[in-house]
Amino acid sequence: MSARISGFGTAFPRRIDQDEVWAGYFAPRLGHSRVAERLFRAAGVEHRHAVADPLVDDVSDWSTERRMLRYAAEAPALGKEAVSAALADAGLAAEEVGLLAVVSCTGYATPGLDIHLAADLGMPADVQRLVIGHMGCYAALPGLGAVADHVVARGRPAVLLCLELTSLHAQPTTDDLAQVITHALFADAAAAVVLRPGPDGAGPDDPGGAAGPGIGVRDLVARTAPATADHMRWDITDRGFRMELSPRVPDVLGRHVGPAVDDLLARNGLTRADVGAWAVHPGGPRILDTVADVLGLPRDALAASRAVLRERGNCSSATVLLILDELRRRGLPAGAPVVAMAFGPGLTLYAGLLDA
């Protein structure tokens, strides 16, 4: 038996324009700095979504408590919309779900979003729940692995929801250029997938078709470089969660991407040439450029990743699911392996091998 993604659903709050946010909020607070403006515009983002639009709702001086209360107010409706859409796409009723997994590093409460959503959606009283928190941008992939394992072991459908409201953690504006990049990149989104059990027909000799419809979850690989853990951090402060990004992140990832991907492919009897599509988390344009260069990918191989970055921004854990959805909409090559990849604190890289 295998686990296959059979439904996608997304939900977004208010859409904001990157140029308007720069001109109306950040530029006057940064003294109209040309260096800061160049960095802000180089993020590769044109539009994104935010529950806290800085032009309307400046949360930069809010306490962490106030931010968490806002998360608790905003997250349930977005989560319900995304999960409902995924269930409808899969043709599955909420009462058939055996596991609801919720991934988020931007909001915490107990009872949490998982409990409220399960009840509000009408999931069964015995539905199992899993919460994955504070793993950051790569968390969708270990979440996908855990959910897929449950589907295979229990033979029941499951739902994975990644919901991030990064706009609630906007920091007071300073001339720290690393924070300028953070303010330019991050955005809000909810993305959900439904996984169902199916026949295990995918493999090197039968990649995809016999295993039924949807996208199969075949394998995962992880790499963590603890010596560079300080390059990407998500610190809890009295004013929300503060992201720290080092400009050296792309260089560190560049040393690990090739070996990790080749290991993942080789143990499944594949090479880079066999991969039909790539879903690479856009931590920023330089990260996408580094991955493409290291793996020797053609220029258009990461077009879906760049499109999501341009129109949605970096939505932390939800982003790689948004890219998979974008690839699906564009048309995945039938029977071709797909590699999904994301990066986050640690410094950690996760890659997943999927079957279209």
Side-chain angles (χ1 to χ4, degrees):
M1 184 180 290
S2 66
R4 303 190 68 80
I5 301 172
S6 61
F8 282 83
T10 59
F12 305 95
R14 176 198 303 266
R15 186 173 188 256
I16 61 176
D17 180 88
Q18 190 82 333
D19 289 341
E20 292 176 1
V21 169
W22 169 258
Y25 184 84
F26 289 105
R29 286 165 174 79
L30 291 168
H32 298 275
S33 165
R34 292 184 178 181
V35 173
E37 180 178 6
R38 186 166 64 249
L39 288 172
F40 195 90
R41 297 189 185 283
V45 180
E46 294 180 6
H47 303 96
R48 46 188 167 137
H49 298 262
V51 297
D53 177 353
L55 294 174
V56 177
D57 204 5
D58 184 359
V59 303
S60 61
D61 284 324
W62 283 18
S63 68
T64 301
E65 178 186 17
R66 191 175 176 188
R67 296 171 198 248
M68 293 299 92
L69 289 172
R70 181 68 178 273
Y71 180 96
E74 299 278 1
L78 287 168
K80 184 177 181 179
E81 181 180 348
V83 172
S84 296
L87 289 170
D89 189 40
L92 188 73
E95 56 265 27
E96 298 177 76
V97 174
L99 170 71
L100 171 64
V102 175
V103 174
S104 185
C105 67
T106 51
Y108 298 99
T110 303
L113 184 59
D114 57 313
I115 291 176
H116 294 305
L117 281 180
D120 200 22
L121 288 163
M123 292 182 180
D126 67 346
V127 67
Q128 295 186 33
R129 292 172 289 101
L130 174 67
V131 176
I132 299 174
H134 232 75
M135 294 186 82
C137 294
Y138 65 84
L141 292 177
L144 192 64
V147 171
D149 288 347
H150 176 91
V151 169
V152 171
R154 306 299 183 191
R156 293 187 67 185
V159 174
L160 172 68
L161 168 67
C162 294
L163 194 155
E164 304 288 9
L165 303 183
T166 68
S167 68
L168 294 180
H169 298 286
Q171 298 294 297
T173 306
T174 70
D175 58 2
D176 180 349
L177 296 181
Q179 284 300 304
V180 172
I181 296 171
T182 297
H183 285 137
L185 278 173
F186 284 94
D188 300 351
V193 290
V194 171
L195 281 79
R196 304 175 86 153
D200 188 8
D205 300 320
D206 183 16
I215 301 173
V217 180
R218 198 195 303 191
D219 201 0
L220 287 174
V221 68
R223 293 289 187 277
T224 300
T228 57
D230 63 330
H231 286 12
M232 189 183 296
R233 300 200 320 275
W234 193 223
D235 297 328
I236 298 176
T237 77
D238 292 337
R239 289 181 174 175
F241 306 161
R242 179 183 172 91
M243 170 61 77
E244 294 287 349
L245 290 173
S246 166
R248 292 175 288 176
V249 167
D251 297 331
V252 175
L253 291 176
R255 296 198 294 269
H256 297 281
V257 166
V261 169
D262 289 341
D263 176 37
L264 175 67
L265 294 172
R267 70 194 194 194
N268 287 276
L270 301 167
T271 68
R272 298 178 194 176
D274 297 312
V275 178
W278 299 83
V280 179
H281 173 74
R286 274 191 63 209
I287 286 179
L288 292 179
D289 292 342
T290 297
V291 171
D293 289 345
V294 167
L295 297 180
L297 303 180
R299 181 172 179 79
D300 62 348
L302 303 185
S305 295
R306 296 185 191 279
V308 168
L309 177 63
R310 183 174 60 250
E311 293 302 321
R312 305 295 189 191
N314 180 341
C315 305
S316 191
S317 69
T319 317
V320 73
L321 298 185
L322 298 179
I323 297 167
L324 285 172
D325 192 30
E326 177 69 17
L327 285 169
R328 182 185 69 139
R329 294 175 188 278
R330 293 178 178 217
L332 287 167
V338 177
V339 171
M341 198 183 314
F343 325 97
L347 195 62
T348 299
L349 176 158
Y350 257 85
L353 179 61
L354 313 175
D355 294 302

